[in-house]
Amino acid sequence: MRVSLFMKSPANKTKTAIPPSLKKFIQALPKTETHLHVEGALPYELLRKWKPKEYPANPAFHAPRHRIREFERFDKILLGHALPWFTNADRYYEGAKAIFAKHTAQNVHYVETSFHLAATTFLKIPPREIAAAILAAAPRGLEVRVFVGMLRNDYHGDMRAVIDGIAGCDNITGVDLHGLETLPTEPWTARVWKRMRAAGKITKAHAGEFDGAARVREAIVKLGVTRIQHGARAIEDPDVVKLAVDRGVTFDMCPISNVRLGVVPSIRRHPIRAYMRAGIRCTVSTDDPLVFNNTLTDEYAALAAGAKFTPAELARLARNGFEVASLCDAHKQHFLDQIDALAALAAKAPKAK
């Protein structure tokens, strides 16, 4: 007789059954989070504790059945809740500390998180100071790398100097292009991204979420990135999938986010397995849990329940995160060995009936 643990999945309309052994396996896996917006990861309970009358216990957008079909509406929810909190460097520290505590509880050992670079202008806080506040919040045993995220039309006015100055910030690991994807990618982006890589920064770009496969091609070919944030719609063009394989591109994917935003219809129909079989390195992250009410454990569980991912496939995802991590080889290998040992044990375990 099969004994199952029933979990409410944020990506599904109904409860999904997860065997207890698989839940234990997911928890035991050393994990990474490589696509996380710090403003979008603010724990909702901090807002509740701060102003309980303004932030209800069960906001409508946290309901499992809730879908947000337009980017503008998503952005309004996120910014409407995050901006009142993130008003100074201390608030970034406090928010990040609560975020990272959740990671530690889920056996996450490496995090790449970005903050919205434009905040430095209206808050009048240097990027280095915000990055320092986030890094100071990291607990022992969790390696954190800070990125800055910018919009496709940010390179103007005071923001030009701010963006150019990132190359000299030694506590900022890289840059990410995010925001409304249907805006054109302006010519400055390729020049700046090339300059950032020359300065030793990692360059990322959101693509293939609210726009199609052509934006993934553009990010790879014109911007020169090997880290695509999302990439879910690259599946619409087999040539773009092949391009990603040939260039060794990693897709930092967020399945629950993709379902909740209507990018894909369900976890079962998410293209992540097809990408992995094609040879694309895929990682799994939460994107904006403030809006989606998800955890990294939820992401793994949703793939196991909704797409029938095996322990071997889940271990592959965990491995991918460490393979792409900005860590020394010995540190990576430490976690890769743990993942391989867990996967080997799972392969030998009797199958549930």
Side-chain angles (χ1 to χ4, degrees):
M1 179 179 180
R2 180 175 179 176
V3 180
S4 296
L5 175 69
F6 288 88
M7 301 175 61
K8 285 185 178 180
S9 169
N12 295 285
K13 294 182 179 181
T14 58
K15 293 181 179 181
T16 52
I18 305 290
S21 59
L22 191 51
K23 182 188 177 188
K24 185 177 179 181
F25 175 78
I26 290 170
Q27 175 62 28
L29 277 177
K31 293 177 284 293
T32 68
E33 175 113 62
T34 53
H35 182 162
L36 183 72
H37 304 273
V38 70
E39 293 91 354
L42 178 70
Y44 187 79
E45 55 265 29
L46 283 186
L47 293 174
R48 282 277 299 152
K49 183 178 179 181
W50 178 43
K51 292 185 177 182
K53 292 183 179 180
E54 291 188 23
Y55 300 101
N58 298 298
F61 57 85
H62 275 184
R65 295 174 183 268
H66 192 79
R67 298 292 182 267
I68 306 171
R69 301 294 184 182
E70 304 84 23
F71 178 84
E72 291 83 357
R73 181 162 169 264
F74 158 77
D75 212 31
K76 183 178 180 180
I77 294 172
L78 192 157
L79 295 178
H81 288 77
L83 290 183
W85 176 269
F86 290 104
T87 56
N88 55 50
D90 287 343
R91 282 290 182 81
Y92 271 94
Y93 171 82
E94 189 177 349
K97 187 175 181 180
I99 293 166
F100 298 151
K102 290 177 178 287
H103 283 117
T104 298
Q106 295 174 82
N107 201 24
V108 177
H109 292 272
Y110 176 85
V111 172
E112 292 177 0
T113 187
S114 65
F115 68 89
H116 188 39
L117 188 58
T120 64
T121 57
F122 58 79
L123 296 179
K124 302 193 181 307
I125 306 173
R128 186 186 297 273
E129 189 174 331
I130 294 179
I134 295 169
L135 290 169
R140 184 183 297 274
L142 180 66
E143 293 284 344
V144 175
R145 303 291 180 264
V146 177
F147 287 66
V148 295
M150 62 196 77
L151 303 178
R152 295 171 190 273
N153 56 356
D154 264 352
Y155 198 65
H156 61 85
D158 294 341
M159 281 293 289
R160 290 177 67 104
V162 174
I163 292 171
D164 288 340
I166 295 302
C169 290
D170 55 5
N171 63 354
I172 293 176
T173 298
V175 296
D176 181 18
L177 194 66
H178 65 197
L180 186 60
E181 190 183 348
T182 51
L183 288 175
T185 302
E186 298 175 356
W188 64 267
T189 318
R191 298 193 303 269
V192 171
W193 257 227
K194 184 177 180 180
R195 192 159 67 242
M196 292 296 174
R197 285 192 293 273
K201 306 298 183 186
I202 297 171
T203 56
K204 299 181 179 182
H206 280 57
E209 184 188 17
F210 280 94
D211 207 343
R215 298 312 290 269
V216 178
R217 178 188 296 278
E218 175 192 63
I220 297 170
V221 175
K222 293 186 177 180
L223 302 186
V225 305
T226 56
R227 297 287 298 280
I228 294 290
Q229 308 296 277
H230 292 300
R233 293 183 59 186
I235 199 72
E236 296 169 4
D237 187 340
D239 288 340
V240 174
V241 173
K242 184 177 185 303
L243 174 68
V245 174
D246 292 344
R247 297 285 182 94
V249 174
T250 296
F251 284 4
D252 293 311
M253 308 202 79
C254 307
I256 289 174
S257 167
N258 294 157
V259 173
R260 294 290 299 275
L261 293 176
V263 177
V264 299
S266 66
I267 291 292
R268 182 178 63 84
R269 295 174 63 184
H270 196 282
I272 187 169
R273 178 182 275 126
Y275 289 152
M276 292 169 68
R277 288 177 173 172
I280 296 175
R281 180 192 286 122
C282 295
T283 68
V284 173
S285 296
T286 57
D287 199 6
D288 295 285
L290 169 61
V291 178
F292 306 125
N293 195 30
N294 57 330
T295 67
L296 194 60
T297 299
D298 290 335
E299 298 286 346
Y300 279 80
L303 289 171
K308 306 303 180 187
F309 265 50
T310 65
E313 289 175 309
L314 298 176
R316 179 71 256 177
L317 288 170
R319 255 190 152 269
N320 290 345
F322 285 105
E323 288 175 355
V324 78
S326 181
L327 294 170
C328 70
D329 289 344
H331 205 172
K332 288 185 183 184
Q333 196 60 50
H334 169 74
F335 293 114
L336 294 175
D337 289 345
Q338 288 186 33
I339 293 167
D340 290 345
L342 286 165
L345 284 174
K348 295 177 181 177
K351 302 298 181 184
K353 297 182 180 179

